[in-house]
Amino acid sequence: MAKAKMIIDKDFKIAEVDKRIYGSFIEHLGRAVYNGIYQPGHPAADEDGFRKDVLQLIKELDVPIIRYPGGNFVSNFFWEDSVGPKEARKPRLDLAWRTLETNEFGLGEFAKWSEKAGSDIMMAINLGTRGIADALNLLEYCNLDTNSYYSNLRKSHGVQKPYNIKTWCLGNEMDGPWQMGHKTAVEYGRLAAETAKAMKAMDESIELVSCGSSNVDMPTFPEWEATTLEETYDYVDYISLHNYYGNPENDTEDFFAKTQDLERFIHTVIATCDYVKAKKRSKKTLNLSFDEWNVWFHATASDNEEMQKRPWQIAPHLLEDIYNFEDAILVGLILITFLNHADRLKMACLAQLVNVIAPIMTENDGGAYRQTIYYPFLHASKYGRGTALRSVVNSTKHDSKKHVDVTDIESAVVYNEEKDEVTIFAVNRNVNEDALFEADVRCFEGYRVLEYLALENDDMKVINTISGEKVSPINKTNYTLEDGIFTTTMKSCSWNVIRLGK
Ligand code: AHR
């Protein structure tokens, strides 16, 4: 049997968890906006055309920040076409996803919708086909209350008070050859630095995210980070990381080991930021924004065919990955990794939120439902707020096809001092054996087990559908808490949430 022993001490702190690590992403892509969050005429639509069934599921997740409007979409986005009277809005071709963007839903609608969802906006600007002037115009439109052209334009659109958007991404995946207006590191670094300078001159309260690599396997990683940060370091607050995971080889054991690669990715980006910091003799420490992450591979082949053979549709079914049980486990493992980097990782966006590689799916003529990955995200967002603790964990290990010394138990601990609660998130990623898990929680005197939730299944490929959830949390009772020692057996391939409190 696999085994792990954990010791927790409330004084061993990693950092306060920034709630924005439970952010997400809505791109003008497929059915994320149209027939996702917005569908006038649908029986569940409110007076603004926003689907209330979807809003309800998002509110449950309590998503503090949502990235918008792309993604690859943003690199050819003309924001001016998406504001003002709807009848005057211009349809445009979206070259990233080869669809027709009607602009019926735009910036103003998104601002209104995100208020209803209880989320802040993380706005991405187009540094692909546009530049500094357009970024400034957009910033003025969104954030300024001056008697000047773009601020007045917003007011003429019926929005007197500025949106005050705090977080701005300086483009999207500019290292990727697929990006409209793709740039070399030097080209991007210069443009991003000058844009950042100008934007902060207009509104010094904003925070800026410099584009990191599109994924850890980019041939230019991490040279891209080093070169671009040489230019942008003094003017930005975060660097972005993006990465998606898949199991095309159908090797569950190796799939679960992929957070070892994620761990290395995060370490390398931190090291690169700190190298530039040292080189510049800077006192500022740059933090990380993991603003695109998820499992993404199920629908890729059919998407490519759809975009090639049937371009310029409105809201086609694209990137509609249907997630299974093992995907939920990987999402749990990723969240655990993020929590253990709470000192440097301050924002993260589950990409995406509705219909497009998403925890929430809708039917155009029907309801909405929770995919399997909804649950680990829900648990982390709900119970993973407070201080991330650095526990000492001694776990048995195994090797997988492409990874060695893979710990059987991966875990993170969050202490919520205000609520007097501590939560242990743990995955048993041993695909053959259950694991005996023991946690020494003696420093939490007087605490009892409030709840022990888990996701368990023998079928790694089982999915949720509109007609039923085969993957949903169960309440566990097979534990003891005696003299400050919590003991349980964690099922092979399981997500576990142990909540202790007074
Ligand atoms: O989230 C889907 C796409 O993945 C985004 O548009 C892009 O930034 C990334 O490659």
Side-chain angles (χ1 to χ4, degrees):
M1 189 187 248
K3 272 189 203 147
K5 270 194 179 181
M6 165 187 272
I7 304 173
I8 311 174
D9 191 306
K10 58 174 104 167
D11 288 328
F12 295 169
K13 298 175 179 165
I14 299 174
E16 193 64 25
V17 176
D18 190 321
K19 66 177 182 182
R20 295 174 303 171
I21 68 164
Y22 305 118
S24 191
F25 180 23
I26 291 281
E27 176 165 5
H28 279 257
L29 195 184
R31 298 189 309 129
V33 172
Y34 305 106
N35 299 345
I37 61 173
Y38 175 76
Q39 192 176 357
H42 187 278
D46 69 7
E47 66 286 0
D48 294 310
F50 304 153
R51 278 186 67 157
K52 285 185 284 186
D53 52 350
V54 175
L55 268 174
Q56 184 48 41
L57 291 174
I58 294 171
K59 277 193 197 154
E60 248 178 67
L61 288 179
D62 194 0
V63 184
I65 192 161
I66 301 181
R67 189 163 176 253
Y68 178 83
N72 296 338
F73 171 82
V74 80
S75 294
N76 193 41
F77 178 49
F78 293 80
W79 67 269
E80 301 89 331
D81 299 340
S82 82
V83 293
K86 285 199 180 184
E87 37 320 332
R89 294 192 192 168
K90 301 184 194 86
R92 287 267 190 179
L93 295 183
D94 161 33
L95 303 179
W97 305 105
R98 308 192 82 215
T99 54
L100 188 78
E101 173 53 58
T102 63
N103 280 311
E104 182 183 331
F105 183 103
L107 182 51
E109 287 75 26
F110 187 71
K112 205 167 192 186
W113 177 85
S114 37
E115 209 178 317
K116 288 190 184 178
S119 310
D120 288 337
I121 300 172
M122 179 193 281
M123 181 70 86
I125 60 165
N126 176 356
L127 282 191
T129 54
R130 304 188 92 184
I132 305 174
D134 305 300
L136 289 174
N137 296 344
L138 176 60
L139 180 62
E140 183 188 323
Y141 184 91
C142 290
N143 282 14
L144 265 66
D145 196 3
T146 43
N147 184 15
S148 51
Y149 181 75
Y150 285 101
S151 175
N152 288 339
L153 185 65
R154 184 196 66 246
K155 291 174 200 159
S156 77
H157 295 156
V159 184
Q160 293 308 311
K161 280 206 341 224
Y163 298 124
N164 274 327
I165 297 171
K166 186 168 178 198
T167 313
W168 296 75
C169 302
L170 296 167
N172 176 71
E173 297 190 348
M174 299 307 306
D175 61 325
W178 59 86
Q179 205 68 219
M180 295 302 133
H182 159 234
K183 298 189 170 35
T184 65
V186 173
E187 285 166 351
Y188 172 75
R190 289 291 308 125
L191 176 62
E194 292 305 321
T195 309
K197 259 182 4 197
M199 287 177 78
K200 285 203 172 169
M202 182 177 272
D203 181 356
E204 60 184 6
S205 72
I206 58 173
E207 289 190 330
L208 296 172
V209 186
S210 194
C211 255
S213 294
S214 300
N215 60 69
V216 70
D217 297 319
M218 292 301 289
T220 45
F221 174 77
E223 190 54 48
W224 171 275
E225 279 72 4
T227 307
T228 57
L229 285 179
E230 294 257 343
E231 301 292 340
T232 63
Y233 198 92
D234 292 336
Y235 312 111
V236 301
D237 306 279
Y238 306 90
I239 181 152
S240 72
L241 294 83
H242 290 184
N243 217 73
Y244 294 95
Y245 298 88
N247 184 14
E249 304 89 7
N250 193 20
D251 181 338
T252 304
E253 187 172 57
D254 204 58
F255 182 49
F256 290 166
K258 288 187 180 179
T259 50
Q260 270 194 352
D261 310 334
L262 170 62
E263 190 68 46
R264 235 188 349 264
F265 183 19
I266 293 173
H267 273 291
T268 308
V269 175
I270 291 173
T272 311
C273 290
D274 293 349
Y275 157 77
V276 178
K277 175 182 180 177
K279 202 168 166 193
K280 287 186 171 290
R281 315 289 192 261
S282 174
K283 289 198 167 52
K284 175 167 114 185
T285 300
L286 212 67
N287 285 321
L288 275 47
S289 169
F290 214 120
D291 47 47
E292 282 192 37
W293 69 272
N294 202 348
V295 173
W296 175 16
F297 76 107
H298 293 285
T300 313
S302 57
D303 288 337
N304 290 339
E305 191 177 315
E306 187 70 10
M307 286 186 284
Q308 275 314 314
K309 297 204 175 140
R310 285 171 288 279
W312 320 128
Q313 296 177 68
I314 297 172
H317 290 261
L318 285 179
L319 279 68
E320 298 202 4
D321 278 38
I322 299 301
Y323 292 116
N324 57 30
F325 177 73
E326 67 184 12
D327 297 329
I329 299 295
L330 193 84
V331 163
L333 284 163
I334 294 172
L335 288 162
I336 284 173
T337 312
F338 287 173
L339 284 169
N340 288 327
H341 284 284
D343 52 340
R344 296 296 290 274
L345 208 155
K346 301 294 177 187
M347 297 193 283
C349 302
L350 172 66
Q352 299 190 8
L353 190 52
V354 182
N355 287 333
V356 170
I357 42 174
I360 298 166
M361 295 299 288
T362 68
E363 292 199 326
N364 291 355
D365 304 319
Y369 69 95
R370 301 172 185 86
Q371 292 231 60
T372 61
I373 62 166
Y374 184 94
Y375 287 108
F377 191 81
L378 171 75
H379 293 155
S381 174
K382 235 172 144 174
Y383 306 120
R385 299 187 188 208
T387 306
L389 297 182
R390 194 175 304 287
S391 56
V392 176
V393 188
N394 196 347
S395 169
T396 46
K397 294 177 179 167
H398 61 269
D399 293 345
S400 68
K401 201 166 173 189
K402 294 184 190 150
H403 300 84
V404 293
D405 283 339
V406 181
T407 47
D408 290 322
I409 298 286
E410 273 291 277
S411 58
V413 180
V414 179
Y415 173 40
N416 191 323
E417 207 168 346
E418 241 169 62
K419 291 192 178 161
D420 242 326
E421 280 180 25
V422 64
T423 303
I424 302 171
F425 299 97
V427 167
N428 176 6
R429 58 174 159 181
N430 187 309
V431 296
N432 302 308
E433 296 172 22
D434 292 350
L436 184 64
F437 176 79
E438 201 180 285
D440 181 336
V441 292
R442 278 177 297 177
C443 81
F444 294 100
E445 229 190 305
Y447 276 44
R448 60 188 177 83
V449 179
L450 300 176
E451 195 177 30
Y452 176 3
L453 299 164
L455 292 179
E456 298 178 349
N457 214 295
D458 291 327
D459 180 358
M460 294 300 116
K461 309 298 177 194
V462 68
I463 59 169
N464 289 349
T465 63
I466 190 81
S467 42
E469 289 189 0
K470 294 204 168 135
V471 178
S472 64
I474 53 167
N475 271 295
K476 300 277 292 176
T477 51
N478 68 328
Y479 60 83
T480 56
L481 177 58
E482 275 163 24
D483 301 327
I485 307 292
F486 173 90
T487 313
T488 191
T489 301
M490 289 180 181
K491 203 171 147 48
S492 156
C493 309
S494 61
W495 161 254
N496 301 267
V497 182
I498 301 155
R499 298 181 52 226
L500 306 167
K502 285 215 165 151

